[in-house]
């Protein structure tokens, strides 16, 4: 009989906290780019907002890793949630283009705080659920993100249309405070320090042989994802001759496939090999992408693409679940925060490269060529996983720095 993470009460509370917070995030994730576009009238300004979300994870990665290593646990997560709520308050003052620096400042601050919360959460999961439920736990956390996208994404657009940014900000603040309360009520064991504090181990995590494969896969897949963010809209408008509504529809239905895959892995999973998940997820992502990008030569029927974009939602959660589980198995408790901070930094670098590469379409580079490259990168990441990600990760004891107390 399958053992699922939902059997663990502490995980259920942490999962519910994540769902509440993620729904609030998606309200803002949809609304802020639209607000920036309204204030600037520029697609470049909107692209800058996306890039700004990635910068803190790269520039501040060693600092974030040290904070997670030193303070990681329930109270760090509660504190981050509260700070996220407080840092949204300046958005109440955003009304004109002159207020754009406030908007960018909030985006950068929220990205920094997310860079603390996510590694802390991922590092705690093995402590909460044990190794036999890790695949289930990671899949259910991935399910959260897609449920939130399905709920919060459309709601954010509707609420911005009928109300004002302030309404969305107020709801998002409430979601962060609700999440903080649930995390506070969750009994999460703190790792034993034994008189020593773990160092960030950030550079060690980047260099560790058993992590090198999964970080390389993440970098290549991140470039593909960055390309997708830029090229997807152009594909729907130019090659499918679709409308803005079609863009929203096809982007949204991906959550259906992700939710189905998340439920399958989270509820029905047994001891699945993380490398198999990474390889199959990346390979399926690449194959489906290449089919979609080339299919307009045969058909542009909307129903066909709705079905395909539902399907393409599934490999993403399989890939992420395998990646996260690999890192959790490959690092000791004290080093997981550093490993996940490194993962976030590598992913941010990849997405940034992809976003910039997607802009080449404005210089005359063929859209079709860039789409083929995007799909091919996922295939390359699958081959990389098969060759470099160990089937049974060896635990890496990232270094510690002793701290003497007293004299």
């Amino acid at each position: 009989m399958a053992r699922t993470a939902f059997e663990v009460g502490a995980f259920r509370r942490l999962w519910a906290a994540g769902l509440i917070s993620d729904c609030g995030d998606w309200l803002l994730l949809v609304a802020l780019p639209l607000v920036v576009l309204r204030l600037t009238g520029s697609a470049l300004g909107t692209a800058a907002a996306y890039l700004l979300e990635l910068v803190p994870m790269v520039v501040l990665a060693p600092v974030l890793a040290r904070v997670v290593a030193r303070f990681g646990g329930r109270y760090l997560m509660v504190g981050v949630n509260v700070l996220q709520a407080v840092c949204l308050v300046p958005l109440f003052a955003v009304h004109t283009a002159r207020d754009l620096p406030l908007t960018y400042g909030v985006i950068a601050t929220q990205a920094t705080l997310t860079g603390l919360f996510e590694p802390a959460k991922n590092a705690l999961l093995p402590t909460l659920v044990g190794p036999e439920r890790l695949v289930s736990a990671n899949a259910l956390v991935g399910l959260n993100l897609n449920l939130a996208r399905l709920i919060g994404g459309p709601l954010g657009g509707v609420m911005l249309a009928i109300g004002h940014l302030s309404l969305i900000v107020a709801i998002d603040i409430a979601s962060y405070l609700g999440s903080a309360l649930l995390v506070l009520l969750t009994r999460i064991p703190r790792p034993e320090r034994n008189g020593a504090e773990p160092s960030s181990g950030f550079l060690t995590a980047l260099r560790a042989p058993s992590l090198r494969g999964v970080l390389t896969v993440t970098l290549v897949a991140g470039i593909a994802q960055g390309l997708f963010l830029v090229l997807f809209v152009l594909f729907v408008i130019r090659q499918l001759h679709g409308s803005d509504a079609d863009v929203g529809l096809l982007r949204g239905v991906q959550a259906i496939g992700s939710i189905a895959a998340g439920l399958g892995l989270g509820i029905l999973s047994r001891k699945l090999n993380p490398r198999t998940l990474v390889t199959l997820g990346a390979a399926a992502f690449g194959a489906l992408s290449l089919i979609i990008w080339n299919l307009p030569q045969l058909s542009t029927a909307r129903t066909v693409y709705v079905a395909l974009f539902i399907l393409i939602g599934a490999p993403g959660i399989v890939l992420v679940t395998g990646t996260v589980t690999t890192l959790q198995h490959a690092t000791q408790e004290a080093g997981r925060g550093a490993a996940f901070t490194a993962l976030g930094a590598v992913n941010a670098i990849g997405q940034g490269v992809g976003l910039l590469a997607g802009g080449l379409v404005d210089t005359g580079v063929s859209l079709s060529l860039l789409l083929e490259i995007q799909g091919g990168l996922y295939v390359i990441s699958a081959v990389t996983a098969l060759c470099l990600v160990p089937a049974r990760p060896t635990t890496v004891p990232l270094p510690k720095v002793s701290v003497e107390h007293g004299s």
Side-chain angles (χ1 to χ4, degrees), residues 18-203:
L19 180 60
I20 293 170
S21 178
D22 289 340
C23 283
D25 285 344
W26 268 96
L27 287 174
L28 215 58
L29 189 64
V30 169
L32 278 184
L34 293 174
V35 169
V36 171
L37 187 60
R38 288 180 184 177
L39 294 179
T40 64
S42 165
L44 181 60
T46 306
Y50 281 119
L51 286 171
L52 199 55
E53 291 181 358
L54 304 176
V55 170
M57 280 303 301
V58 178
V59 176
L60 300 177
V63 176
L64 298 178
R66 181 169 289 277
V67 172
V68 172
R70 175 64 178 83
F71 301 103
R74 176 177 55 169
Y75 293 117
L76 173 65
M77 296 168 69
V78 171
V80 168
N81 270 160
V82 172
L83 282 174
Q84 286 176 308
V86 171
C87 291
L88 289 177
V89 172
L91 289 179
F92 286 118
V94 173
H95 302 291
T96 68
R98 288 179 299 178
D99 304 320
L100 196 59
L102 281 177
T103 307
Y104 283 139
V106 169
I107 290 172
T109 303
Q110 292 293 332
T112 302
L113 292 171
T114 299
L116 287 172
F117 189 88
E118 290 302 317
K121 178 185 69 178
N122 287 329
L124 281 172
L125 287 182
T127 304
L128 287 182
V129 303
E132 72 279 4
R133 296 187 180 95
L134 264 183
V135 170
S136 172
N138 291 323
L140 290 168
V141 168
L143 172 67
N144 255 4
L145 296 174
N146 290 285
L147 283 172
R149 178 167 67 178
L150 202 60
I151 296 168
L155 192 58
V158 170
M159 291 178 66
L160 191 61
I162 65 175
H164 187 268
L165 177 62
S166 296
L167 176 62
I168 295 174
V169 172
I171 293 174
D172 204 15
I173 288 174
S175 76
Y176 281 130
L177 295 178
S179 173
L181 180 61
L182 277 173
V183 174
L184 186 63
L185 296 175
T186 302
R187 300 178 71 90
I188 301 175
R190 288 181 62 86
E192 294 183 6
R193 301 300 189 189
N194 297 323
E197 300 294 342
S199 76
S200 69
F202 176 74
L203 295 178

Side-chain angles (χ1 to χ4, degrees), residues 137-328:
N138 291 323
L140 290 168
V141 168
L143 172 67
N144 255 4
L145 296 174
N146 290 285
L147 283 172
R149 178 167 67 178
L150 202 60
I151 296 168
L155 192 58
V158 170
M159 291 178 66
L160 191 61
I162 65 175
H164 187 268
L165 177 62
S166 296
L167 176 62
I168 295 174
V169 172
I171 293 174
D172 204 15
I173 288 174
S175 76
Y176 281 130
L177 295 178
S179 173
L181 180 61
L182 277 173
V183 174
L184 186 63
L185 296 175
T186 302
R187 300 178 71 90
I188 301 175
R190 288 181 62 86
E192 294 183 6
R193 301 300 189 189
N194 297 323
E197 300 294 342
S199 76
S200 69
F202 176 74
L203 295 178
T204 302
L206 289 176
R207 293 192 297 260
S210 63
L211 302 184
R212 192 175 299 142
V214 74
L215 292 177
T216 303
V217 170
T218 299
L219 178 65
V220 177
I223 296 172
Q225 178 63 16
L227 279 167
F228 176 85
L229 291 173
V230 175
L231 303 179
F232 167 73
V233 175
L234 299 177
F235 170 77
V236 176
I237 300 297
R238 295 183 185 180
Q239 298 199 5
L240 296 185
H241 310 293
S243 64
D244 290 347
D246 292 320
V247 171
L249 173 66
L250 295 178
R251 193 76 171 94
V253 297
Q254 294 175 54
I256 299 173
S258 298
I259 289 169
L263 284 171
L265 288 174
I267 304 299
L268 304 176
S269 66
R270 291 175 172 83
K271 290 187 177 180
L272 298 176
N273 186 320
R275 183 179 69 177
T276 300
L277 292 176
V278 174
T279 304
L280 290 180
F285 224 143
L288 284 170
S289 295
L290 291 171
I291 290 171
I292 290 171
W293 304 147
N294 288 282
L295 194 59
Q297 301 175 47
L298 301 176
S299 172
T300 58
R302 296 295 176 273
T303 53
V304 173
Y305 289 91
V306 167
L308 286 171
F309 274 97
I310 289 174
L311 285 177
I312 207 170
I317 199 167
V318 174
L319 173 59
V320 171
T321 298
T323 300
V324 172
T325 305
T326 298
L327 258 70
Q328 288 165 335

